[in-house]
Amino acid sequence: MLFTRRIYQTNTNLDDALRVWFDFIQTMNPLESEVVPVHEGLGRVTAEAIHAKVSSPFYHASAMDGYAVRFHETFGASETTPVQLILHEQAVPLNTGDPVPEGFNAVIMVEDVNLTGDYVEILSPSTPYEHVRAVGEDIVQTELILPENHLIRPVDIGAMLSSGNYEVRVRRKPVVTIIPTGNEVVEPGTPLKTGNIIDSNSYMIGALANQWGAEYSRSDVVPDNKERLKQRILHSSNESDVVVVLAGASAGTKDFTPNAVDELGKIFVHGISIKPGKPVLLGMINERPVIGLPGYPVAAYMTFEMFGKPLIYRLLGIEPEQPEKVMAKLSRPVASTLGQKEFLRVKVGKVGDSLIATPVGRGAGALMTLQRADGIIQIPELSEGIAPESEVNVMLIRSKREINNTVVCIGSHDNTLDVLSNHLKKKFPAYSLSSAHVGSMGGLMAIKKAEAHIGGSHLLDEKTGEYNVPYVQRFLKDVPLKLINLVYREQGLMIPKGNPKNIKSLDDLRRGDIAFINRQPGSGTRLLTDKCLRDKEIDQRNIKGYEKEEFTHMGIASAVVSGAADTGMGILTAAIALDLEFIPVAQERYDLIIREEHMGTPMMQALIDLITSDDEFKESVISLGGYDVRDMGKVMYEQ
Amino acid sequence: MLFTRRIYQTNTNLDDALRVWFDFIQTMNPLESEVVPVHEGLGRVTAEAIHAKVSSPFYHASAMDGYAVRFHETFGASETTPVQLILHEQAVPLNTGDPVPEGFNAVIMVEDVNLTGDYVEILSPSTPYEHVRAVGEDIVQTELILPENHLIRPVDIGAMLSSGNYEVRVRRKPVVTIIPTGNEVVEPGTPLKTGNIIDSNSYMIGALANQWGAEYSRSDVVPDNKERLKQRILHSSNESDVVVVLAGASAGTKDFTPNAVDELGKIFVHGISIKPGKPVLLGMINERPVIGLPGYPVAAYMTFEMFGKPLIYRLLGIEPEQPEKVMAKLSRPVASTLGQKEFLRVKVGKVGDSLIATPVGRGAGALMTLQRADGIIQIPELSEGIAPESEVNVMLIRSKREINNTVVCIGSHDNTLDVLSNHLKKKFPAYSLSSAHVGSMGGLMAIKKAEAHIGGSHLLDEKTGEYNVPYVQRFLKDVPLKLINLVYREQGLMIPKGNPKNIKSLDDLRRGDIAFINRQPGSGTRLLTDKCLRDKEIDQRNIKGYEKEEFTHMGIASAVVSGAADTGMGILTAAIALDLEFIPVAQERYDLIIREEHMGTPMMQALIDLITSDDEFKESVISLGGYDVRDMGKVMYEQ
């Protein structure tokens, strides 16, 4: 079985891969056309030049409400020598848009006349064609309304109809067939068994195609069988303009896509030196493009943007919009592999006048990191990384307005932040809350370096037993700020349902048969753990798994649920969420640190308003379980 | 009849009108929700928070193609002391994504092993969970995937499906009913009679509503009858979320909308001190919003953007995106009326490093000026205008990329430019040609002031009989440039079919019974006309209509077609286009003036490539009639 494995034959440089692909794309013509009613043309692309069939207006029309006159009959009119015109004979009442009658050649506004019986008295002369919209003033018959290859907007629909074009020849929408593959891949909604992978990629890639103006059809999942895959690809390439095969292009035993494409047509590129996205395949069958996308969702998404988007736009005959770019300051250093171009997802926040970019997780499988990202930065192939504080060029995923309206919270993780994020968006749709989880000390440092609006912190001072204040006084002593309480929460040991290892307290960690899972240094939970262990004089070295670290409470809870660990320290809410048992160890205070300078901004006010006085938010937090909201919104300390 | 006329009761300041409207909008809640399959959710708005129903992955999965191992069995492995593991027992082959079997806790990559019979030989130890995607690594069950009021993107579809959400509760799409009114308004496609107005506005306004995420239904045209209009408005306000009445809100005799709304509900604002858009009406019936839009298309479009867009977004629960803004230099002065806020359409071009904004026509009825505009500038109420060369803030309608890729041509009008524009877009979809018609001298001046890439010119030097070169030498003597020929063209007198006034030559203009229509001073055609008149010793003062001016050849042709004039000077092509007869007067040369510095840019190269060597373009020009292309693309002069 193993000899069928395929190590990457090529490791093409991205620029070379793009060149090969664009050369191929350039050989393709935009698609044939179809005729649609103009009012159904929004978002379609013209397949021929549109010229005016009639002028607009197509008759001399009154531009005002008033009276049509013959301008030479108005000569000499003035305040002292008014001219009287016979109503209906010399002065014909008109509304805006009415045709100016034959022989008349000016319009006097209703505001400028006196009506006296059967006469219209005017006080100033008019000039030829005054207040008349002459034939063709807006559109002249035969003039170009839209060129070929024009993306139709609402105003274009108005212009086409006004110029007598009621139907429009547009490009047919490209049809993309998406073929998910793999025995393990199941339709969304199928009851899940271990080893199953929900086919979310097809629909995500399909939605991208839709967004770019294409239609997609998704085939059933093709199992790992080369002949069946070949049949499906061949059939699809006859029926559609673009074939996308999902996964099956890496080097696993069951990756039949390269062989299938090779036997049916031609492979241009297989394997690109980028991260994520390495196992991409580009080829053609009977002149029709075939793209093999990686199985990891982030890799699939990003490589479809690189190779699928320009292809679809080419078939439509238009150019893709370029994403907005901004310069931002990188908040922490990033290492990267030489010889591989990396596309790194970042959160971007506007703190004071600076844009700050913070790298998020890098796994090709971590879709949520892309879902939550604000932008992408590129690390060149010949770079080993980027120093902190560097200015980096960020390709934005969200708009600048959204980024400017986002409260950036860095620090300890707490589930209440999710609830806060949701309620903020619900009550104030203009604002968002973005939170990055780097532990309480990380939050403190982010506030010190002015990289966040809010630091989330639950740092216990061993000497005084006080939370947060001693740390703020030590590390942020010159920074005017407020500490606002969010919640008190229960910390304790999470254990599996039924407590199979019979854990009763922290003391059991000494036993040696218990696999512990720890939090990262600098997190409040780690400090609490260490303090409790010292209080009980338990030696860390005797705890199995003490060196294994997770970054969030839910990470700890997941490890316990899955059996990767027997227990770990975390908040009650996380235990409740994943249906674990819980042994309380301490109640701790979770505060938000906010620099004084940000307190007055409208978005911060909206957020504080929620925390201090929104009952619905408070109820939602209470319903999570494990929280005490007695001081929610209270200023615990300021300096 | 006239006593029913309604002079504007109010002339509300825009800010006040917006305040009243936003106060009203804030009282409305986002719409109720409906459930759709996630894969149909693109572009919809979440109506509740979406949480993960399953973790992703929901089992420990291999992150690589390789072998599952127990990490403690790999201890001590090195190049010199390889460790051998029994295949299938101690080392289980896995593909990426496969579940790591019970009891195994690390994966070794296929590249890092040697396969020797029934053994897998490894050369370095693995660490716990190395190359394993642990449960919840991407998504942890219960975590927040999307907040309420979130516009669903492709990546969100992936994230929802991956987290076990197969259906999503989204906001119902707002329904906008659009009611066109007026006896003169006809459905697109109806054979046109004088006085008819094609109802293009309904579909344009409807397309805007679609673009913002609403559905629209258009009612039949309601004739001028207050009771019928009232019935229709009342019915619509029961059936839809927003009622839009098109026109009928100004002060004409037949404008029943204000009375209808007044009798059915409440008018907040009627008449706003803006231009265009003054006769807007804002009101409500049974708490449902009603918007009366002006009849002129530009005014309707812009006021629907101001008042309809925030309303629809409010009903959806999201914030509208803000248009991009840029600073640009105003190329010519603009006067404005005190007490009225004006929204002025401009073309924006990037010439060298400067963005140049050039005002286009201002009529509320001139839809093409909006269709061709790149942006809008605002002139405050208390301003009488803006000086030339001022820096102005432009709200962009087209993207910066499109503007940067647009060749700006200013100067004399020629139909060939339309053809060129179309062929450029067709052959090079990335590029556009924008042309403003200000006459040949205007083009020369635009090149001098570096406000255009190309000047279009046919200036005849009376002394030498030579075209363009003497003018360039006189007015642009220090500017390195090339003169490239576009076409030679026939100029002459356009006359109506059948020549009812029996015009035979320019001499007939002396006759006194012939109404002439002239071109504006500074245009090449005006210079030609004046030269020919002098040659023939015809006194301008004896020509009826000499002082009446149009700005384009098609404008002249239209005036002749419509009977507004008996004849005018223009190019043969315009006469052919509108089926006029033509008396040749002269052949003239039409050149493009291009500054040397712009010659090498890719977009200019694309354009020159078309002119010099594209047979399809040449054929299209010839087929217009009246053109001689013998020197097309030839450099006639350079300095």
Side-chain angles (χ1 to χ4, degrees):
Chain A
M1 175 179 166
L2 288 176
F3 67 91
T4 64
R5 281 180 189 266
R6 202 186 150 95
I7 309 291
Y8 288 108
Q9 293 304 321
T10 58
N11 192 24
T12 312
N13 175 292
L14 177 61
D15 289 340
D16 292 339
L18 285 170
R19 202 168 306 120
V20 169
W21 189 240
F22 277 82
D23 284 351
F24 170 57
I25 287 178
Q26 291 305 312
T27 66
M28 307 182 71
N29 286 320
L31 296 178
E32 66 277 28
S33 63
E34 63 190 24
V35 172
V36 300
V38 161
H39 65 267
E40 292 173 9
L42 184 67
R44 305 295 297 269
V45 176
T46 54
E48 63 183 9
I50 313 298
H51 294 93
K53 293 203 163 74
V54 295
S55 294
S56 173
F58 60 93
Y59 51 87
H60 295 316
S62 179
M64 294 287 175
D65 296 328
Y67 298 88
V69 297
R70 297 175 190 91
F71 76 89
H72 65 265
E73 293 181 340
T74 69
F75 286 171
S78 72
E79 300 263 338
T80 50
T81 59
V83 166
Q84 294 207 324
L85 300 173
I86 305 165
L87 187 63
H88 299 298
E89 267 178 41
Q90 294 179 298
V92 181
L94 296 176
N95 286 311
T96 304
D98 285 348
V100 175
E102 191 77 32
F104 290 77
N105 48 22
V107 169
I108 296 189
M109 288 197 289
V110 66
E111 295 91 323
D112 293 343
V113 306
N114 296 316
L115 194 66
T116 57
D118 291 339
Y119 291 91
V120 171
E121 190 178 78
I122 59 171
L123 306 176
S124 63
S126 57
T127 55
Y129 283 81
E130 189 173 25
H131 302 315
V132 173
R133 296 184 66 223
V135 169
E137 184 175 291
D138 184 7
I139 298 171
V140 178
Q141 195 179 336
T142 77
E143 83 168 293
L144 180 72
I145 303 293
L146 300 177
E148 190 174 330
N149 293 337
H150 178 89
L151 186 67
I152 297 172
R153 306 162 298 165
V155 69
D156 302 320
I157 289 177
M160 282 191 279
L161 293 175
S162 296
S163 63
N165 288 284
Y166 310 125
E167 293 187 321
V168 58
R169 185 165 285 282
V170 295
R171 299 242 181 273
R172 180 167 70 68
K173 291 187 175 194
V175 176
V176 179
T177 298
I178 297 172
I179 307 175
T181 67
N183 292 339
E184 70 287 4
V185 174
V186 298
E187 307 277 336
T190 312
L192 295 175
K193 290 183 305 215
T194 296
N196 284 171
I197 294 173
I198 301 168
D199 178 30
S200 55
N201 282 354
S202 291
Y203 297 100
M204 178 176 71
I205 294 301
L208 279 173
N210 280 161
Q211 202 170 51
W212 302 330
E215 283 173 353
Y216 80 94
S217 97
R218 171 182 172 276
S219 96
D220 293 340
V221 178
V222 178
D224 294 317
N225 175 315
K226 195 180 78 178
E227 286 311 312
R228 286 183 60 181
L229 181 60
K230 270 180 73 173
Q231 274 173 26
R232 185 64 60 86
I233 293 177
L234 186 62
H235 176 76
S236 300
S237 77
N238 288 328
E239 303 273 306
S240 52
D241 304 298
V242 182
V243 178
V244 174
V245 184
L246 277 169
S250 81
T253 44
K254 298 182 299 178
D255 296 333
F256 299 117
T257 313
N259 287 335
V261 176
D262 199 29
E263 292 171 24
L264 289 167
K266 188 180 166 186
I267 294 179
F268 302 131
V269 171
H270 179 207
I272 300 177
S273 57
I274 53 173
K275 185 181 166 185
K278 188 172 175 179
V280 105
L281 179 144
L282 304 170
M284 69 169 185
I285 294 167
N286 300 328
E287 315 293 318
R288 291 277 172 81
V290 179
I291 303 178
L293 293 178
Y296 280 132
V298 179
Y301 184 102
M302 294 180 68
T303 50
F304 195 53
E305 277 243 335
M306 283 176 210
F307 299 102
K309 188 173 184 179
L311 170 62
I312 287 173
Y313 277 78
R314 170 72 187 180
L315 294 175
L316 284 167
I318 50 177
E319 284 288 303
E321 275 304 306
Q322 297 304 311
E324 200 174 4
K325 289 182 179 172
V326 296
M327 296 306 290
K329 198 177 80 178
L330 196 67
S331 66
R332 42 189 166 96
V334 179
S336 183
T337 315
L338 259 180
Q340 219 176 25
K341 182 166 199 158
E342 183 168 356
F343 293 84
L344 190 72
R345 286 143 269 166
V346 293
K347 303 278 303 175
V348 181
K350 187 169 187 190
V351 184
D353 291 333
S354 308
L355 281 179
I356 310 287
T358 302
V360 293
R362 299 161 88 167
L367 185 59
M368 288 307 286
T369 61
L370 180 64
Q371 198 270 338
R372 291 189 177 149
D374 298 316
I376 308 279
I377 62 175
Q378 293 186 21
I379 308 176
E381 282 180 293
L382 297 179
S383 163
E384 291 186 282
I386 307 180
E389 317 275 305
S390 302
E391 282 285 310
V392 290
N393 198 336
V394 185
M395 209 174 74
L396 291 183
I397 295 175
R398 295 202 308 155
S399 74
K400 253 194 267 186
R401 183 192 62 80
E402 287 176 285
I403 287 168
N404 291 345
N405 286 323
T406 296
V407 179
V408 178
C409 177
I410 293 185
S412 172
H413 172 250
D414 187 88
N415 293 32
T416 314
L417 296 174
D418 272 5
V419 181
L420 188 57
S421 161
N422 186 47
H423 279 257
L424 183 67
K425 197 87 204 150
K426 184 173 172 178
K427 195 163 172 188
F428 305 96
Y431 301 130
S432 305
L433 173 68
S434 128
S435 49
H437 310 140
V438 297
S440 293
M441 277 306 292
L444 226 66
M445 290 303 112
I447 294 293
K448 188 183 173 84
K449 293 193 279 172
E451 290 172 357
H453 301 109
I454 293 183
S457 173
H458 55 110
L459 289 164
L460 173 60
D461 183 54
E462 282 201 45
K463 277 192 210 139
T464 61
E466 197 181 0
Y467 270 93
N468 299 323
V469 177
Y471 287 86
V472 163
Q473 287 170 337
R474 196 175 322 145
F475 294 104
L476 300 174
K477 71 170 183 293
D478 297 325
V479 182
L481 54 76
K482 282 198 172 66
L483 274 186
I484 294 181
N485 179 253
L486 187 60
V487 286
Y488 295 88
R489 58 188 199 177
E490 290 290 337
Q491 285 268 21
L493 288 173
M494 297 192 248
I495 45 181
K497 203 86 186 172
N499 196 359
K501 294 243 170 141
N502 194 26
I503 298 168
K504 298 210 176 86
S505 76
L506 276 176
D507 296 308
D508 289 303
L509 297 184
R510 289 187 237 251
R511 273 164 40 184
D513 66 331
I514 306 228
F516 184 69
I517 173 96
N518 210 345
R519 284 291 303 279
Q520 86 279 17
S523 66
T525 303
R526 175 70 169 258
L527 286 174
L528 178 67
T529 305
D530 290 349
K531 175 175 187 300
C532 294
L533 294 176
R534 268 195 303 278
D535 288 351
K536 288 181 175 279
E537 295 178 351
I538 302 172
D539 189 341
Q540 299 166 358
R541 285 167 300 182
N542 295 337
I543 301 175
K544 248 185 74 183
Y546 180 87
E547 68 294 338
K548 248 203 106 185
E549 291 162 7
E550 281 287 340
F551 281 77
T552 65
H553 297 286
M554 293 302 279
I556 298 286
S558 287
V560 175
V561 164
S562 69
D566 296 321
T567 189
M569 189 86 130
I571 56 175
L572 175 55
T573 322
I576 293 171
L578 293 198
D579 204 19
L580 293 168
E581 293 187 14
F582 186 79
I583 299 166
V585 172
Q587 193 190 50
E588 66 177 5
R589 200 176 93 200
Y590 186 100
D591 294 333
L592 305 178
I593 312 171
I594 308 177
R595 274 182 179 247
E596 196 53 49
E597 65 202 79
H598 301 313
M599 287 296 297
T601 63
M603 68 180 179
M604 191 62 84
Q605 280 303 312
L607 190 115
I608 290 174
D609 181 56
L610 265 181
I611 298 174
T612 52
S613 52
D614 189 282
D615 288 338
E616 204 190 327
F617 170 61
K618 203 171 272 187
E619 289 304 320
S620 298
V621 171
I622 291 169
S623 74
L624 289 176
Y627 288 112
D628 178 340
V629 298
R630 67 180 187 272
D631 284 338
M632 184 178 268
K634 188 173 160 187
V635 176
M636 310 305 281
Y637 171 77
E638 59 187 306
Q639 69 183 20
Chain B
M1 178 177 164
L2 288 177
F3 66 91
T4 63
R5 281 178 190 266
R6 202 185 152 94
I7 309 291
Y8 288 109
Q9 293 303 322
T10 56
N11 192 24
T12 312
N13 173 291
L14 177 61
D15 290 339
D16 293 338
L18 286 170
R19 201 168 306 121
V20 169
W21 189 241
F22 277 81
D23 283 350
F24 170 56
I25 286 177
Q26 291 305 315
T27 67
M28 306 181 72
N29 287 318
L31 296 178
E32 66 276 31
S33 62
E34 63 190 23
V35 171
V36 299
V38 162
H39 65 268
E40 291 173 10
L42 184 67
R44 304 297 295 271
V45 177
T46 54
E48 63 183 10
I50 314 296
H51 294 93
K53 293 204 164 74
V54 295
S55 294
S56 173
F58 61 92
Y59 51 87
H60 295 314
S62 178
M64 294 286 174
D65 297 328
Y67 297 87
V69 299
R70 297 175 190 92
F71 76 89
H72 65 266
E73 293 182 343
T74 67
F75 286 171
S78 73
E79 300 265 337
T80 49
T81 60
V83 167
Q84 292 205 325
L85 300 174
I86 304 166
L87 186 63
H88 298 298
E89 267 178 42
Q90 294 180 297
V92 181
L94 296 175
N95 285 311
T96 304
D98 284 348
V100 175
E102 191 79 30
F104 290 77
N105 50 21
V107 169
I108 297 190
M109 288 198 288
V110 66
E111 295 92 322
D112 293 344
V113 307
N114 297 317
L115 195 66
T116 56
D118 291 338
Y119 291 91
V120 171
E121 188 178 78
I122 59 170
L123 305 176
S124 63
S126 56
T127 55
Y129 282 80
E130 191 173 22
H131 301 315
V132 173
R133 296 183 67 225
V135 169
E137 183 175 294
D138 185 6
I139 298 171
V140 178
Q141 194 180 335
T142 77
E143 85 167 295
L144 180 72
I145 303 294
L146 300 177
E148 189 174 331
N149 292 338
H150 178 89
L151 187 68
I152 298 172
R153 305 163 298 165
V155 69
D156 302 320
I157 289 177
M160 282 191 279
L161 293 175
S162 295
S163 63
N165 288 285
Y166 310 124
E167 293 187 319
V168 58
R169 186 166 285 282
V170 295
R171 299 241 180 273
R172 181 168 69 69
K173 291 187 176 194
V175 177
V176 179
T177 298
I178 297 172
I179 307 175
T181 68
N183 292 337
E184 70 287 3
V185 174
V186 297
E187 306 278 337
T190 312
L192 295 174
K193 291 182 303 210
T194 297
N196 284 171
I197 293 172
I198 301 168
D199 178 29
S200 55
N201 281 355
S202 292
Y203 298 101
M204 177 175 73
I205 295 302
L208 280 172
N210 282 162
Q211 201 169 51
W212 302 330
E215 283 173 352
Y216 80 95
S217 98
R218 170 182 173 275
S219 96
D220 293 340
V221 178
V222 178
D224 295 316
N225 174 314
K226 195 180 78 178
E227 285 312 311
R228 286 182 61 182
L229 180 61
K230 269 181 71 173
Q231 275 173 25
R232 185 63 60 86
I233 293 178
L234 186 62
H235 176 77
S236 299
S237 76
N238 289 327
E239 303 275 304
S240 51
D241 304 298
V242 182
V243 178
V244 174
V245 185
L246 277 169
S250 81
T253 46
K254 298 182 299 178
D255 296 333
F256 299 117
T257 313
N259 287 335
V261 176
D262 199 28
E263 291 171 23
L264 290 167
K266 188 178 166 189
I267 295 179
F268 302 130
V269 172
H270 179 208
I272 300 177
S273 57
I274 52 173
K275 183 180 168 184
K278 187 173 174 177
V280 104
L281 179 144
L282 304 171
M284 69 170 186
I285 294 168
N286 300 328
E287 315 294 316
R288 292 278 171 80
V290 179
I291 303 178
L293 293 178
Y296 280 131
V298 179
Y301 183 102
M302 294 181 65
T303 51
F304 195 53
E305 277 244 334
M306 283 177 212
F307 299 101
K309 189 175 184 179
L311 170 62
I312 287 173
Y313 277 78
R314 170 73 188 178
L315 294 175
L316 284 167
I318 50 176
E319 284 289 302
E321 275 303 305
Q322 298 302 310
E324 199 174 7
K325 288 181 180 175
V326 295
M327 297 304 290
K329 200 176 78 176
L330 196 67
S331 66
R332 44 187 164 95
V334 178
S336 183
T337 314
L338 258 180
Q340 220 175 26
K341 183 165 199 159
E342 184 169 357
F343 293 84
L344 190 72
R345 286 141 272 167
V346 294
K347 301 279 301 176
V348 181
K350 187 167 188 193
V351 184
D353 291 333
S354 309
L355 280 180
I356 310 286
T358 302
V360 293
R362 299 162 85 168
L367 185 59
M368 288 308 285
T369 62
L370 180 64
Q371 199 270 335
R372 290 188 176 152
D374 299 314
I376 308 278
I377 62 175
Q378 294 187 19
I379 308 177
E381 282 180 294
L382 296 180
S383 163
E384 291 186 285
I386 308 179
E389 316 274 305
S390 303
E391 282 284 311
V392 289
N393 197 337
V394 184
M395 208 174 75
L396 291 183
I397 295 175
R398 295 202 307 157
S399 74
K400 255 196 264 184
R401 183 192 62 82
E402 285 176 288
I403 287 168
N404 291 344
N405 286 323
T406 297
V407 179
V408 178
C409 176
I410 293 184
S412 173
H413 173 249
D414 187 87
N415 294 34
T416 314
L417 295 175
D418 273 4
V419 181
L420 187 56
S421 162
N422 187 48
H423 279 256
L424 184 66
K425 196 90 205 145
K426 185 173 172 176
K427 195 163 173 189
F428 305 95
Y431 301 130
S432 305
L433 174 68
S434 128
S435 49
H437 309 139
V438 299
S440 293
M441 276 306 292
L444 226 66
M445 289 304 109
I447 293 293
K448 187 184 173 81
K449 292 193 281 172
E451 291 172 356
H453 301 108
I454 294 182
S457 174
H458 55 108
L459 289 163
L460 174 60
D461 183 54
E462 281 202 46
K463 278 189 209 138
T464 62
E466 197 182 0
Y467 271 93
N468 299 325
V469 176
Y471 286 86
V472 164
Q473 288 170 336
R474 198 177 319 145
F475 294 105
L476 300 175
K477 69 170 182 295
D478 298 324
V479 181
L481 54 76
K482 282 197 173 66
L483 273 186
I484 294 181
N485 179 253
L486 188 61
V487 287
Y488 295 89
R489 59 188 199 178
E490 290 290 337
Q491 285 267 21
L493 288 172
M494 297 193 247
I495 46 182
K497 203 86 185 171
N499 196 358
K501 294 245 169 138
N502 195 26
I503 298 169
K504 297 209 176 83
S505 77
L506 276 175
D507 297 309
D508 289 301
L509 297 184
R510 288 187 239 250
R511 275 164 39 184
D513 67 330
I514 304 225
F516 185 68
I517 173 93
N518 210 345
R519 284 292 303 280
Q520 86 279 18
S523 66
T525 304
R526 175 70 168 258
L527 287 173
L528 178 68
T529 305
D530 289 349
K531 175 176 185 300
C532 294
L533 293 176
R534 268 193 303 277
D535 288 351
K536 289 181 173 277
E537 296 179 352
I538 302 172
D539 189 340
Q540 299 166 357
R541 286 167 299 182
N542 294 337
I543 300 177
K544 248 184 74 184
Y546 179 85
E547 68 296 337
K548 247 203 105 184
E549 291 162 9
E550 282 287 342
F551 282 76
T552 64
H553 298 287
M554 291 303 278
I556 299 284
S558 287
V560 174
V561 164
S562 69
D566 296 319
T567 189
M569 190 87 128
I571 55 175
L572 175 54
T573 322
I576 293 171
L578 293 198
D579 202 19
L580 294 167
E581 292 187 13
F582 185 81
I583 299 166
V585 171
Q587 195 191 49
E588 65 176 6
R589 201 177 92 201
Y590 186 98
D591 293 333
L592 305 177
I593 312 170
I594 308 177
R595 275 182 179 247
E596 195 54 48
E597 65 201 79
H598 301 312
M599 288 298 296
T601 64
M603 68 179 179
M604 190 63 84
Q605 281 303 313
L607 190 115
I608 290 173
D609 180 56
L610 266 182
I611 298 173
T612 51
S613 51
D614 189 283
D615 287 340
E616 203 190 329
F617 169 62
K618 204 172 270 186
E619 289 303 320
S620 297
V621 171
I622 292 169
S623 74
L624 289 175
Y627 288 111
D628 180 340
V629 299
R630 66 178 187 273
D631 285 338
M632 185 180 266
K634 187 173 160 188
V635 176
M636 310 305 282
Y637 170 76
E638 58 186 308
Q639 67 183 19

